[in-house]
Amino acid sequence: MNKRYILLTISILTLHIVVAQKNEVSIDFTTQKFIGKESELNRKKYFAMHDSYASWDLASDADYLFKTLGIEHGRTFGGPAPFRKSKTEIPSLAEAKEMGEKSAAGIKKSPLFDNFATTDFIITDHPSDAFQLNQDYNKIAEYDAAFLKNAYPIMPKYYEVMNEPFVHAIDYVKTWDQTPAVIVEMSKLYKTVADKVHKEIPNMMVGGYTSAYPEVEKDNFGYWDTRMKTFMDIAGESMQFFSTHIYDGRNVEGDTSYRSGSNSEAILDLIEAYSFKKWGVVKPHIISEYGYTAQGLVGKTYSPELNGTCLIAYNKILMQLLDKEDRLLKAIPFITSKATWFYDNKKENPDGHPYPWVIKKKEEDGTYTFTHLKKFYELWKGVEGKRIEVTSNNPDIQIHAFTKEGKVFIAMNNLSDDVQEVSLNYLNNSATYIKNITLKRLYTTATGMPRLIYFTNETSLDTVNLKAGETIIAECDVTHFDFNNTLKENNYYTETYLQPIEKDKVLTFKFNNMEAAKQGKASIRMGIGRSHNMSKKPIVTLNGKNVQVPTNWAGYDQLARQRFFGVIEIPFDINYIVSGENKVQITFPDLSGHVSSVILNVESRLK
């Protein structure tokens, strides 16, 4: 081969790599998108904080936070707590009523109650206050229901019986080997309480188990079997939602890792897959906490850099959860108010530092000032409307867009740790409707400081360089336009899940009662858990037609984890789908690990 030919070949290969790596997103103002039956962005689902309208902490900032920024109240440790005073005796029903009435009276006194009380609210308890071994679960349930009926002037919609209970199973026994039996008992309590509450308070939804660190693939999915699967098998029939906490970092136990991206997708897909297998329906999620955490953060000096890391995590995870509006009831970033209780916690906080996740912190003179976490809500201020069609050719570039009369909001996020140049492609002359753009950019500087900056009076947005972890929102002033097309997204499930991988063995997943689609796009969501040196690129067919598996997935390579567990989204020609039964077959060239879930995601275009 002569030198000229070699150079030409290298040039062609280089050009191919550059083209392949070009990031493009497409936006069509004129196509309304539905996820299931949902198109309108429900801000109550997504823009709450981990705080209560019964608290007095933020009363002086109420207009700005709850009216101007549109923050909702999301969750409180204000449940029945039958074992708060005694760990051995269950209080009487008369005491439950009395305690409930006292709670209601206190809530009514809150300066936030009249204007900001909401039913779209989660209540929970610490496990030690809600559960004890060798107690009568029926009596506990009776107490809980009696308290709840009297405790809230406006009845909260959601009740998580305990917060992160299974990590506290060790508190009741001597060794970890004994904790599976405690988990079984905790699950029995959940079911008993749920059945009683559903009977006594029909408008309240009960769910759980509120997983602290859903490292379900650990011990070859042993953690799945002994935790969420056990819970679903025992209590799941009585649960109206399944709640999970999603944190980048390390929450309580488990490995340090990033759940944002493919890992959290695989966790939630596995829960959905097992729900469908057991009941033929996908019960919805609640993500009652999400963000960033790690060991050794509490009791330390306030850190703007930590705020920056949290802000990146909030936006990464939020952008994923916005894709699940049809099967998600509520998602709360872990941002608290002042956490005044923490200043008095001499054991964990001897030097009186702020709780790491507060929106307002105490200064040396005793006054309180806002932390950078307020920027999360400032970034998303005013974003609302009907969902419009967007696509991204790179799973690391997340995008959503919404429109209301006179406005279009385009949100993009970079899951990657590298700068990404993104080209925006406006379909059906969408760019011609834009009159003006206000561009908001939230990122961290080279030193880790969070920055939220605004660019006003922009007339176009054709390309953007997204910093690592950066989120942008383009608020576009637009002339009137109509929807000319409709895009409907649905997910289809199979009763086959969590299949062990054997070398060259064909794994078959059947999907029934599907309808053929003529236009749109579709993908196979393949969840896998395997060692890092094992293949992530199996042979995949849909109805006998080969489908190419990409080598990229949402988020990082997961090499910091003990093994890979994530969803790889595999696009395919929507015309491969037939009416009736559809069959996905997956064959790996090597042994070990599992295919945890397979879901067909279909976006059908309707005129």
Side-chain angles (χ1 to χ4, degrees):
M1 185 182 291
N2 65 47
K3 187 178 295 184
R4 179 182 177 188
Y5 186 73
I6 292 173
L7 291 173
L8 179 61
T9 303
I10 292 173
S11 298
I12 292 172
L13 287 172
T14 303
L15 177 62
H16 174 75
I17 292 170
V18 171
V19 171
Q21 291 179 339
K22 185 178 180 181
N23 299 311
E24 292 184 339
V25 298
S26 298
I27 306 162
D28 186 355
F29 293 2
T30 67
T31 296
Q32 182 178 9
K33 181 176 178 179
F34 289 82
I35 300 178
K37 296 179 180 179
E38 304 290 332
S39 180
E40 192 83 24
L41 175 61
N42 184 344
R43 286 189 60 91
K44 287 185 177 181
K45 282 188 180 184
Y46 291 106
F47 299 108
M49 64 184 299
H50 200 279
D51 190 41
S52 169
Y53 54 81
S55 169
W56 293 53
D57 281 1
L58 300 175
S60 61
D61 303 292
D63 284 349
Y64 179 64
L65 294 175
F66 308 125
K67 290 182 179 180
T68 302
L69 296 185
I71 302 174
E72 301 286 336
H73 290 95
R75 187 172 186 248
T76 186
F77 282 72
F83 297 104
R84 181 171 292 155
K85 290 185 178 180
S86 169
K87 303 305 179 189
T88 58
E89 297 181 8
I90 302 169
S92 67
L93 297 185
E95 289 176 278
K97 184 174 184 293
E98 180 185 357
M99 294 299 294
E101 289 174 347
K102 286 182 179 179
S103 169
I107 290 172
K108 286 181 179 179
K109 292 178 181 178
S110 167
L112 300 179
F113 175 75
D114 287 342
N115 292 323
F116 303 108
T118 176
T119 61
D120 206 272
F121 193 62
I122 304 168
I123 56 174
T124 191
D125 275 321
H126 190 279
S128 67
D129 295 335
F131 170 83
Q132 293 296 318
L133 277 174
N134 304 315
Q135 291 287 344
D136 187 330
Y137 300 154
N138 288 305
K139 288 185 177 180
I140 295 173
E142 289 173 353
Y143 177 92
D144 289 355
F147 174 88
L148 292 169
K149 282 193 293 186
N150 292 280
Y152 286 89
I154 297 176
M155 189 61 67
K157 192 183 295 185
Y158 310 115
Y159 177 31
E160 296 171 335
V161 180
M162 293 181 274
N163 177 63
E164 301 183 347
F166 295 172
V167 295
H168 292 280
I170 189 63
D171 299 343
Y172 301 92
V173 290
K174 293 181 179 180
T175 66
W176 281 105
D177 291 341
Q178 298 171 290
T179 57
V182 180
I183 288 171
V184 167
E185 294 304 311
M186 287 177 162
S187 300
K188 289 178 182 178
L189 174 68
Y190 260 99
K191 177 173 175 53
T192 306
V193 171
D195 290 343
K196 184 66 175 178
V197 170
H198 293 156
K199 183 179 178 180
E200 298 287 335
I201 314 171
N203 293 331
M204 177 174 279
M205 301 175 70
V206 183
Y209 69 91
T210 324
S211 175
Y213 67 108
E215 200 167 351
V216 296
E217 78 285 3
K218 193 171 184 178
D219 295 342
N220 206 26
F221 286 90
Y223 267 43
W224 164 258
D225 289 335
T226 57
R227 286 159 175 79
M228 181 57 88
K229 182 180 182 297
T230 291
F231 178 78
M232 293 173 79
D233 288 343
I234 294 172
E237 182 71 31
S238 299
M239 295 297 103
Q240 291 166 302
F241 59 86
F242 296 113
S243 53
T244 308
H245 291 174
I246 298 175
Y247 281 98
D248 282 344
R250 180 174 181 263
N251 184 23
V252 185
E253 298 286 348
D255 297 326
T256 299
S257 64
Y258 288 89
R259 300 217 180 279
S260 56
S262 64
N263 181 249
S264 56
E265 292 292 311
I267 293 165
L268 299 182
D269 277 10
L270 179 56
I271 296 170
E272 292 176 20
Y274 193 57
S275 175
F276 184 84
K277 177 179 174 62
K278 284 190 71 70
W279 302 294
V281 296
V282 174
K283 295 194 177 188
H285 302 283
I286 278 184
I287 311 300
S288 49
E289 294 180 21
Y290 71 87
Y292 177 86
T293 187
Q295 298 297 298
L297 297 182
V298 297
K300 299 296 192 301
T301 305
Y302 167 72
S303 169
E305 295 82 3
L306 176 59
N307 275 186
T309 300
C310 289
L311 288 165
I312 288 174
Y314 297 143
N315 282 307
K316 286 180 177 180
I317 297 168
L318 170 66
M319 291 290 281
Q320 291 180 251
L321 298 176
L322 285 169
D323 278 321
K324 304 179 187 298
E325 191 153 2
D326 65 328
R327 55 201 186 279
L328 182 138
L329 299 175
K330 201 167 187 68
I332 304 173
F334 192 64
I335 300 175
T336 68
S337 56
K338 293 179 179 177
T340 53
W341 56 269
F342 188 64
Y343 294 103
D344 298 324
N345 186 339
K346 300 303 181 185
K347 181 179 178 181
E348 293 186 87
N349 189 28
D351 297 319
H353 295 303
Y355 193 55
W357 300 278
V358 291
I359 201 168
K360 294 197 82 172
K361 61 182 176 67
K362 185 190 288 187
E363 303 295 348
E364 291 185 2
D365 62 0
T367 61
Y368 284 83
T369 59
F370 281 113
T371 69
H372 291 281
L373 297 187
K374 176 169 62 80
K375 290 179 168 62
F376 174 78
Y377 302 106
E378 290 174 331
L379 175 71
W380 289 94
K381 173 182 175 291
V383 177
E384 58 185 338
K386 293 179 172 61
R387 191 180 294 267
I388 60 179
E389 181 186 12
V390 293
T391 59
S392 170
N393 70 343
N394 183 346
D396 285 334
I397 305 301
Q398 302 169 297
I399 183 167
H400 293 278
F402 306 90
T403 184
K404 64 176 185 177
E405 186 62 36
K407 294 281 189 182
V408 167
F409 302 93
I410 302 168
M412 277 195 293
N413 180 74
N414 180 12
L415 273 174
S416 170
D417 291 331
D418 300 315
V419 174
Q420 298 284 336
E421 182 179 348
V422 183
S423 297
L424 287 76
N425 181 24
Y426 297 91
L427 305 180
N428 290 324
N429 298 313
S430 293
T432 62
Y433 298 109
I434 298 174
K435 298 186 297 183
N436 182 66
I437 299 172
T438 297
L439 184 64
K440 294 188 279 187
R441 307 188 65 147
L442 179 59
Y443 60 92
T444 55
T445 66
T447 60
M449 292 291 290
R451 292 194 66 192
L452 174 62
I453 58 175
Y454 295 71
F455 296 91
T456 58
N457 300 320
E458 302 286 319
T459 57
S460 65
L461 184 65
D462 298 321
T463 61
V464 61
N465 284 310
L466 289 173
K467 297 176 174 60
E470 181 178 12
T471 307
I472 70 165
I473 293 181
E475 180 178 330
C476 307
D477 297 319
V478 296
T479 57
H480 177 78
F481 60 85
D482 295 312
F483 289 132
N484 299 321
N485 299 283
T486 301
L487 194 70
K488 292 198 172 182
E489 175 182 327
N490 287 292
N491 290 283
Y492 296 90
Y493 299 83
T494 170
E495 293 184 359
T496 304
Y497 96 119
L498 199 59
Q499 296 295 294
I501 296 170
E502 299 179 24
K503 181 180 179 181
D504 298 329
K505 179 183 177 181
V506 178
L507 301 177
T508 300
F509 303 84
K510 296 179 180 179
F511 299 81
N512 298 315
N513 303 318
M514 292 185 65
E515 294 183 5
K518 295 181 180 180
Q519 290 185 318
K521 65 175 187 172
S523 64
I524 301 167
R525 293 175 56 85
M526 179 183 69
I528 58 172
R530 327 194 66 197
S531 299
H532 290 291
N533 60 338
M534 298 288 103
S535 172
K536 303 176 188 67
K537 195 175 173 66
I539 297 171
V540 178
T541 64
L542 173 62
N543 298 328
K545 297 180 174 63
N546 287 320
V547 179
Q548 185 67 27
V549 179
T551 56
N552 190 20
W553 51 82
Y556 74 131
D557 58 17
Q558 297 195 25
L559 290 178
R561 299 171 53 81
Q562 291 186 4
R563 66 195 313 214
F564 177 87
F565 179 51
V567 163
I568 298 176
E569 195 157 359
I570 309 168
F572 65 87
D573 188 333
I574 199 169
N575 291 302
Y576 290 178
I577 298 173
V578 298
S579 295
E581 182 184 271
N582 288 260
K583 185 186 298 183
V584 173
Q585 293 186 304
I586 301 174
T587 309
F588 282 86
D590 45 16
L591 173 69
S592 87
H594 289 75
V595 175
S596 55
S597 61
V598 176
I599 298 170
L600 292 184
N601 178 269
V602 180
E603 297 184 18
S604 301
R605 185 178 302 280
L606 309 175
K607 287 290 185 182

